[in-house]
Amino acid sequence: MAIPNLPALCSLEEFLKHDYDFIVVGGGTAGLTVAARLTENPNIKVGVLEAGAANIGDPMIMTPALYPKIIGDPKYDWIHHSIPQKSLSKKIPFQQPRGKGLGGSSAINYQMYVRGHATDYDDWEKLGNRGWSFKDLLPYFKKHEHFDDPASYKNKPNIPLETKYDAGFHGRNGPIHTSFSTWRLPQEREWIAAASTLGEKMGSPMNAWCGDHLGTYHSLSTIDRSGGEADGTRSYSVTGYLLPNAQRANLRVLTESLVERLVISNEGAVSGVEFEHGGKSHKVLVKKEVVLSAGVFKSPQILELSGIGNPEILKAAGVKTIVNNPRIGENFHDHPATGFGYEFIDGEKSLDAMQDPSYVQSAMAEYGSTRNGPLSSGGAAMGFVSYADLASSSDISSLQDLVLSPDHGGHSQAVKELLAKGIASKDEASIQIVLLPASLNIEEGYEQPKLLAPPPQMVGKNGFFMAACIARPLSVGTVHITSSDPKEDPEIDPAYLSHPADIEIFAKGLQIVDKMVSTSPFKEKIKRRYYPDGPLDLSDKNAVETYLRDNVATEYHPLGSCGMGKEGVGAVDDRLKVYGCKGVRVVDASVIPLHVSGNIVATVYTLAEKGADMIKEDWGL
């Protein structure tokens, strides 16, 4: 039955009785964006198939600070696992969270709204992807954004906002609200003040969303602070792109429907999809095109299950090859994270106070009555640092040689040359620093519920975790099927720290973290480092490497497994069409050819907006 007032959400019978011009596989961040834009034309009929549930209005999703409770919950999270990571000390699988349900990962993420550096996108174009420079993408960044200016917030912040911004670089009428949290870690002011003394580009940038985000500042979040009924709640693809358009007669969305494979001819022409719903298989055909927006793990899996990929991999999985496209499932990379944990001095509070039931009750009451307080918080104070600002000229030269060395795999030589050039630039970000407003258990980084829980030594105490993350990793992995069963996860290998250059970059990240916590006025807020609790000589390369290989986690930014590029390099072209096929293209994070510095949801909305326009252009819509 259709959910009242949301006729687009329909039953199986309703879904199957319609003809569709386009089928969008995946009702997540990108998929709902594409569906909304295509159905702006009332003559175009679009069907969306989502494997998860609708979860509309679920308070666990809508309450910003509850995201740690839904990551690792099978109701909301696929809970994928990597294969054991051979370059880490613990040879065990790592959980790879991805949103399951309408909204995809925009329903479970930390809500940090970060645009990459202009160079990140310009490099995409330098790799042969026409129309993907920062200048080309800026209109789409603005198109999807509804910037809520702090001057108009209903609720006053707990501390003054230290971050500068230029509203002219933001969209004001888009579907996705962005805002600054009105509850922020109180000590972030001292952190930004301390960081600003450590270098010319370490203070708050003039406008971190203009294509130059070097420095320290408070992140925007995808949280609605427009003053209406949704004030203080998560803004994601469901609230922005689906609900306002759910009355459209030309849009139908079927949840709890797992797409198993594409309907494809021996010549590589795609004409529909096969999917499972309620324990039975069904088929739906399209007049124009299938759009894969199933995400970085599921999009390559569906292509390979359909016979599109590397013949050797397909044969081993028991799948007949129809289209030889060996770049499917390659180029997968993720932001790895590490860092140190600290305890605040007595009297200082962080979100660790949520361990206290009375504090939780107070926070719940405040959020219930005002949509303000700790539970309304999303995002964090953060910053970007260039490797060149932290290293000597000889360090830079040695790292460039390591990046360009043919002795280590990973990226193509063309990509390595771009990354090596960026390492020497003081204007490009190599490291992201995130001041997380609670303690984490990085030692348990492979399992999300353990990672996100207070470690034993911080029970009943208040602290924080300062993460260092590699902005543009050299390590590259793969995503491939090992079975013809659509319900069996593909083999996921992020290959964390498999390239030695990542160790060198991480080492500088730990050094700048250590400097930040040792600098006034921030150091006066800190009682001790709780992890590691023993000595760690940051000048000892072997000790640092051991620490890093013992303590790493995902920053939740996997991408690239259907990367765009020239034929033979990319899995899709710069119109996002799958090489060797007709009638199918990919529009999600898997097409990103090279990582961006920062959290990726802003980039995914942007590429989805651009992808929708490309589809319209190619079909004359």
Side-chain angles (χ1 to χ4, degrees), residues 28-334:
T29 311
L32 291 182
T33 303
V34 172
R37 293 308 187 192
L38 293 181
T39 53
E40 289 174 337
N41 183 334
N43 297 316
I44 297 300
K45 295 182 179 178
V46 176
V48 178
L49 291 167
E50 166 54 43
N55 297 331
I56 291 174
D58 190 323
M60 295 299 292
I61 292 173
M62 300 308 294
T63 308
L66 291 184
Y67 83 94
K69 302 295 184 184
I70 55 179
I71 292 177
D73 183 333
K75 179 181 178 181
Y76 309 98
D77 184 357
W78 282 98
I79 319 180
H80 299 294
H81 287 82
S82 76
I83 62 171
Q85 291 300 281
K86 62 182 181 181
S87 296
L88 302 183
S89 300
K90 302 182 182 77
K91 305 295 192 288
I92 55 179
F94 272 61
Q95 287 185 353
Q96 301 282 300
R98 290 291 88 189
K100 184 179 184 181
L102 288 179
S105 293
S106 73
I108 70 169
N109 69 349
Y110 193 22
Q111 301 145 118
M112 289 175 69
Y113 184 85
V114 180
R115 294 179 187 171
H117 196 281
T119 304
D120 300 343
Y121 308 104
D122 292 346
D123 282 350
W124 297 1
E125 188 167 65
K126 289 175 183 176
L127 292 171
N129 300 299
R130 296 160 299 173
W132 289 92
S133 70
F134 181 71
K135 181 180 178 181
D136 293 313
L137 293 177
L138 184 57
Y140 293 107
F141 277 110
K142 292 181 178 180
K143 185 176 183 179
H144 75 250
E145 185 184 12
H146 188 297
F147 176 64
D148 295 331
D149 197 304
S152 62
Y153 289 177
K154 180 173 68 175
N155 290 306
K156 299 297 182 184
N158 64 326
I159 58 173
L161 182 66
E162 304 285 335
T163 300
K164 307 179 186 76
Y165 61 91
D166 180 352
F169 269 90
H170 295 276
R172 305 304 293 269
N173 300 301
I176 300 300
H177 287 263
T178 65
S179 65
F180 295 102
S181 288
T182 50
W183 187 96
R184 298 188 293 277
L185 183 70
Q187 302 83 3
E188 78 169 42
R189 298 182 71 193
E190 287 82 7
W191 176 64
I192 292 173
S196 66
T197 69
L198 298 178
E200 182 181 344
K201 294 188 177 182
M202 294 292 289
S204 181
M206 291 304 296
N207 177 23
W209 297 270
C210 72
D212 178 5
H213 54 27
L214 290 174
T216 49
Y217 56 97
H218 190 87
S219 170
L220 281 170
S221 304
T222 51
I223 298 173
D224 189 326
R225 299 194 194 279
S226 61
E229 288 186 12
D231 196 82
T233 63
R234 179 188 292 267
S235 180
Y236 68 124
S237 64
V238 169
T239 59
Y241 287 97
L242 177 59
L243 298 186
N245 305 310
Q247 304 296 324
R248 291 177 180 171
N250 58 335
L251 175 63
R252 289 293 178 267
V253 178
L254 183 64
T255 58
E256 300 179 67
S257 299
L258 178 70
V259 170
E260 299 174 318
R261 60 188 57 84
L262 304 174
V263 178
I264 184 171
S265 72
N266 288 332
E267 291 73 40
V270 173
S271 57
V273 301
E274 296 176 11
F275 67 96
E276 184 270 334
H277 180 90
K280 296 182 179 179
S281 291
H282 305 274
K283 181 189 296 185
V284 61
L285 301 179
V286 293
K287 297 177 181 178
K288 291 183 167 60
E289 194 167 289
V290 172
V291 180
L292 279 180
S293 298
V296 69
F297 302 135
K298 291 294 184 180
S299 285
Q301 179 185 25
I302 292 168
L303 288 169
E304 291 185 337
L305 289 170
S306 307
I308 305 165
N310 184 323
E312 293 183 5
I313 289 168
L314 301 185
K315 182 179 180 180
V319 175
K320 176 187 174 184
T321 299
I322 296 175
V323 174
N324 181 354
N325 185 334
R327 296 304 297 167
I328 301 294
E330 300 293 311
N331 192 52
F332 168 54
H333 46 305
D334 183 20

Side-chain angles (χ1 to χ4, degrees), residues 347-380:
E348 297 290 325
K349 296 285 188 183
S350 71
L351 284 183
D352 279 337
M354 298 292 280
Q355 299 176 53
D356 180 353
S358 64
Y359 186 88
V360 173
Q361 290 296 322
S362 174
M364 289 175 64
E366 183 179 10
Y367 186 74
S369 61
T370 67
R371 288 291 185 265
N372 202 21
L375 289 177
S376 74
S377 177

